[in-house]
Amino acid sequence: MRFLPILCFFAIHAASAAEPYKIDHVEPLNWWVGMKQPDLQVMVHGERIAELTPKIDRAGVKLASVERTDNPNYVFLNLRIGRGAQPGSFPIRFQRGAADVVTVNYRLDARRPGSAQRQSFGPGDAIYLISPDRFANGDPANDVVAGMPDKTDRSVPLARHGGDLAGMQAHLKYVRDLGFTMIWPTPLLENNQPEYSYHGYALTDYYKIDPRFGSNEDYKRYVAAANALGMGVIHDVVVNHIGTGHWWMKDLPAKDWINHAQKFEVTNNQHSTIMDPHAAPEERERFLDGWFVDSMPDVNQRNPLAARYLIQNTIWWIEYANLSGIREDTYSYADPAFLVRWCKEVLDEYPNLNIVGEEMDDRPQRVAYWQKGVKNRDGYASGLPVVMDFPVVDLMPSVLNAPDQDGSSFRPLYETIADDYLYADPMRLLIFPDNHDRPRIFALLHENLNLWKTELLFMATTRGIPQIYYGTEMLIAGPYERNDGLLRADMPGGWAGDRVNAFTGTNLSAAQSEAQAYVRKLFNWRKSSSAVAKGKLLHYIPKDGCYVYFRQDGQHTLMVVLNKNAADTKLDLARFQAALKDARQGRDILSGASVDLRAPLQLKAMTSVAIEW
């Protein structure tokens, strides 16, 4: 039996005469009064619990119906929470005849003031992405937890290394001072897997923070501490799959709860089957229903009870932890009809909330298919506000590394940006130099600091919402080829005894200190720039080794020159007079120097600039 003492959301009481009936799980752990959606479905799991009759006697709370499955150890209670319902605990009694056999106390809480209208992230924000296990170890006491076989060993790239919520919270001011306004940790939920559990994407309990990271309360405190410093937290959600160690796998709620539960089938990873009008149905099914890998069972969102469970879980974490946004993993792998419902119900509850979904494809038409507002020929509309701009992200290293004999190496970037007509809203693209699934950008640029600066400048000033992976700001080491355990390296200074400390600047190389200062200057400037937060993008065909674009919002203008010329050069500004208009002087956003806009622009070799007025 697994009780839930972590948050004391409910207490379970059973008379000795009631055996063998027992309750192991009640989820969601609690709920709130005053939600827009009055209906709540409570999953109750326990031995033979479906044989009993549930009863609720609470003012404002109605047991509308009861649903059972082919597993007698589950029952689903459909509650309607009226507008007059008050916060507090109440018993749910399970009876045989008129006699109570087992009772569970359930709790309704009051919502935070203004919870439904919470603000989220947008183009004016910059996101700092953290892999919690690799960021900082603030509590070594939780490195090893009884009953969790995947042990901590920093010498093994794919093992756990000990980073946790305490370490993340200890360095919140560092993140803020870099200029970031949002933090996205990769999943923090329990991953009780035999090995390779550090990454968080094989969750084994939808309602529990992994104890090696901390507790649910620790997560709530972390979000509150970030909010107090002016930053929001984005929660990484996984609806497509779970880990084989999930407690469901020992006692499935229904035979069809997991796709291919009887015989393992791996996904074909063929994303095009979703929108391909000629795709064989069985190959489309293989993409959607196949397991991601053999340790990640695929959840069947076509089961209405599973769908409701996943939707409520997302809403629960938003409300419980006071989140500022959601990132949804492996977005296109989940059932398309479910995704429509998931987006709608979450956004109905939180109209201002932003959700970003991962469609890891380098073709703009494949990514755009999922964005809210796009008119797809098949009529599909998932309702997802923000998509991840893998087409530009994956293109940038080749663009920056390409030799420039005739000034055309920036042309592929220009052409890909021109494909923005495919998106409903190009400003709602998540743009990033690298992340936990891509090699480190400094490695991809062959450790060329000038090209690295150009990459960061572009990410901070092009359309969309920038995201920077932890350690990018101090040139953290990583392999040229993708190697997850190595690219997700430990943040220097996050562990006692580290010789190099990114947080204090101790023993950083000259290049690392320069890079860190560059990020700090660039992203703190970005917080006050209305041109990048609200402005339109106007770009010119690359020429003479430069790609020039403008951001304009009617009040402020930003001119960006991405420059790869190997020697000092002059850029004639006459070509850009329509964008410059009557501007006579601007300010270099990084150096602060005044720039004469009536004369050719003096460019140092391999140095990109941004000028505002």
Side-chain angles (χ1 to χ4, degrees):
M1 178 185 293
R2 183 177 75 83
F3 295 104
L4 294 164
I6 302 167
L7 297 171
C8 300
F9 280 121
F10 52 80
I12 298 170
H13 310 283
S16 59
E19 292 299 339
Y21 299 106
K22 62 177 183 178
I23 296 177
D24 293 331
H25 302 89
V26 178
E27 295 177 342
L29 305 183
N30 73 304
W31 206 247
W32 293 268
V33 298
M35 302 292 283
K36 181 176 181 180
Q37 168 59 263
D39 296 328
L40 170 68
Q41 187 169 88
V42 179
M43 170 194 278
V44 182
H45 171 232
E47 187 176 348
R48 295 168 53 189
I49 193 66
E51 297 177 1
L52 303 178
T53 300
K55 186 174 182 181
I56 294 175
D57 184 13
R58 169 75 172 188
V61 180
K62 178 184 178 182
L63 179 58
S65 63
V66 178
E67 295 184 62
R68 294 174 173 84
T69 71
D70 48 52
N71 187 337
N73 297 333
Y74 286 86
V75 65
F76 293 81
L77 311 180
N78 293 318
L79 279 56
R80 171 148 293 188
I81 303 170
R83 295 301 175 194
Q86 296 297 312
S89 296
F90 60 92
I92 303 175
R93 304 197 303 274
F94 290 84
Q95 300 179 328
R96 183 181 295 282
D100 292 349
V101 177
V102 61
T103 299
V104 56
N105 285 332
Y106 201 75
R107 199 179 84 227
L108 296 175
D109 288 331
R111 303 183 74 182
R112 294 178 183 84
S115 177
Q117 299 301 320
R118 68 185 59 231
Q119 297 304 302
S120 192
F121 63 92
D125 289 293
I127 301 168
Y128 192 74
L129 168 61
I130 294 173
S131 291
D133 181 64
R134 305 302 171 89
F135 190 65
N137 188 351
D139 183 10
N142 64 22
D143 289 357
V144 177
V145 175
M148 308 192 89
D150 193 11
K151 304 305 181 186
T152 300
D153 187 344
R154 288 184 73 193
S155 69
V156 179
L158 293 180
R160 300 189 78 93
H161 289 189
D164 50 30
L165 280 162
M168 290 164 58
Q169 187 163 338
H171 299 296
L172 278 170
K173 289 183 178 180
Y174 169 82
V175 178
R176 179 202 61 184
D177 291 347
L178 284 172
F180 294 96
T181 58
M182 290 283 162
I183 302 173
W184 158 23
T186 54
L188 289 156
L189 298 186
E190 180 191 271
N191 273 231
N192 193 5
Q193 296 286 104
E195 58 184 0
Y196 193 46
S197 68
Y198 76 92
H199 55 74
Y201 289 98
L203 62 92
T204 55
D205 193 320
Y206 270 103
Y207 282 95
K208 183 181 180 183
I209 295 294
D210 195 296
R212 291 161 294 190
F213 291 143
S215 66
N216 288 21
E217 286 290 337
D218 289 333
Y219 184 38
K220 184 191 288 187
R221 281 190 287 268
Y222 172 75
V223 175
N227 293 166
L229 292 174
M231 296 181 289
V233 175
I234 299 168
H235 189 68
D236 204 333
V237 170
V238 187
V239 299
N240 178 69
H241 53 265
I242 57 175
T244 48
H246 195 292
W247 60 267
W248 283 339
M249 298 305 292
K250 298 176 182 177
D251 192 20
L252 286 177
K255 289 180 181 178
D256 65 346
W257 198 264
I258 298 295
N259 292 314
H260 300 293
Q262 304 305 314
K263 181 183 178 183
F264 166 69
E265 294 280 354
V266 68
T267 178
N268 56 26
N269 288 305
Q270 192 63 43
H271 297 219
S272 64
T273 58
I274 297 298
M275 60 284 292
D276 179 2
H278 315 295
E282 61 271 25
E283 292 188 344
R284 185 175 187 270
E285 183 273 338
R286 182 69 175 266
F287 170 67
L288 290 171
D289 294 354
W291 292 21
F292 208 63
V293 293
D294 60 4
S295 62
M296 295 180 179
D298 197 78
V299 180
N300 177 19
Q301 299 96 19
R302 292 184 300 277
N303 179 307
L305 298 174
R308 183 76 178 277
Y309 180 98
L310 294 169
I311 292 167
Q312 288 184 167
N313 179 257
T314 300
I315 293 171
W316 188 88
W317 280 109
I318 295 169
E319 195 71 25
Y320 168 72
N322 198 29
L323 300 171
S324 296
I326 294 292
R327 183 263 185 182
E328 215 297 302
D329 180 64
T330 55
Y331 190 81
S332 62
Y333 287 78
D335 180 73
F338 162 78
L339 291 171
V340 175
R341 181 183 169 194
W342 178 77
C343 283
K344 182 180 186 305
E345 293 201 25
V346 172
L347 296 175
D348 278 352
E349 202 66 65
Y350 306 99
N352 300 323
L353 193 81
N354 228 340
I355 304 173
V356 54
E358 177 196 46
E359 168 62 336
M360 197 185 295
D361 200 294
D362 61 5
R363 286 155 288 196
Q365 68 271 21
R366 298 273 178 84
V367 176
Y369 180 85
W370 301 99
Q371 191 182 37
K372 182 178 181 179
V374 171
K375 305 296 184 182
N376 292 312
R377 289 184 64 186
D378 62 3
Y380 181 74
S382 82
L384 178 69
V386 181
V387 289
M388 298 176 71
D389 193 2
F390 281 100
V392 166
V393 169
D394 289 345
L395 177 67
M396 281 299 290
S398 64
V399 165
L400 293 177
N401 286 325
D404 203 326
Q405 302 296 332
D406 58 0
S408 63
S409 64
F410 279 113
R411 184 67 71 91
L413 176 60
Y414 171 86
E415 295 286 357
T416 303
I417 296 291
D419 286 337
D420 278 0
Y421 72 89
L422 295 164
Y423 301 104
D425 186 355
M427 289 295 285
R428 292 185 178 270
L429 293 170
L430 190 72
I431 187 85
F432 48 100
D434 53 25
N435 69 2
H436 58 295
D437 289 324
R438 289 291 183 269
R440 293 281 181 172
I441 188 60
F442 193 53
L444 290 177
L445 297 176
H446 306 290
E447 300 189 355
N448 184 312
L449 185 58
N450 284 327
L451 292 179
W452 177 92
K453 287 181 178 180
T454 292
E455 170 90 24
L456 271 288
L457 181 65
F458 172 71
M459 293 296 165
T461 57
T462 189
R463 82 289 187 266
I465 307 164
Q467 166 254 293
I468 303 299
Y469 195 30
Y470 79 96
T472 293
E473 74 276 7
M474 51 78 59
L475 312 179
I476 199 168
Y480 183 80
E481 301 293 339
R482 177 173 173 177
N483 182 312
D484 288 351
L486 297 179
L487 73 90
R488 302 165 187 170
D490 293 348
M491 183 71 159
W495 280 256
D498 284 358
R499 189 187 70 84
V500 177
N501 192 318
F503 303 115
T504 63
T506 303
N507 291 326
L508 293 183
S509 69
Q512 288 175 323
S513 295
E514 184 179 347
Q516 201 175 58
Y518 185 87
V519 168
R520 190 176 293 115
K521 182 79 173 179
L522 178 60
F523 283 93
N524 274 294
W525 160 81
R526 192 184 191 280
K527 289 193 291 188
S528 62
S529 173
S530 63
V532 294
K534 303 174 184 177
K536 295 180 179 180
L537 172 65
L538 174 73
H539 67 164
Y540 285 77
I541 299 170
K543 186 179 178 182
D544 301 326
C546 294
Y547 174 37
V548 179
Y549 57 90
F550 292 80
R551 300 296 306 277
Q552 302 165 320
D553 71 342
Q555 299 293 323
H556 300 91
T557 297
L558 177 72
M559 176 184 183
V560 181
V561 181
L562 303 187
N563 167 39
K564 282 179 28 179
N565 287 298
D568 291 356
T569 187
K570 293 181 181 180
L571 180 66
D572 189 349
L573 299 183
R575 180 180 174 219
F576 313 110
Q577 282 306 307
L580 290 168
K581 297 180 180 177
D582 298 325
R584 301 168 64 85
Q585 191 174 68
R587 185 185 74 90
D588 187 309
I589 67 167
L590 292 165
S591 70
S594 295
V595 180
D596 186 352
L597 298 174
R598 297 167 297 174
L601 191 62
Q602 305 290 327
L603 297 173
K604 294 181 180 178
M606 300 290 287
T607 300
S608 299
V609 298
I611 302 162
E612 65 178 357
W613 63 90

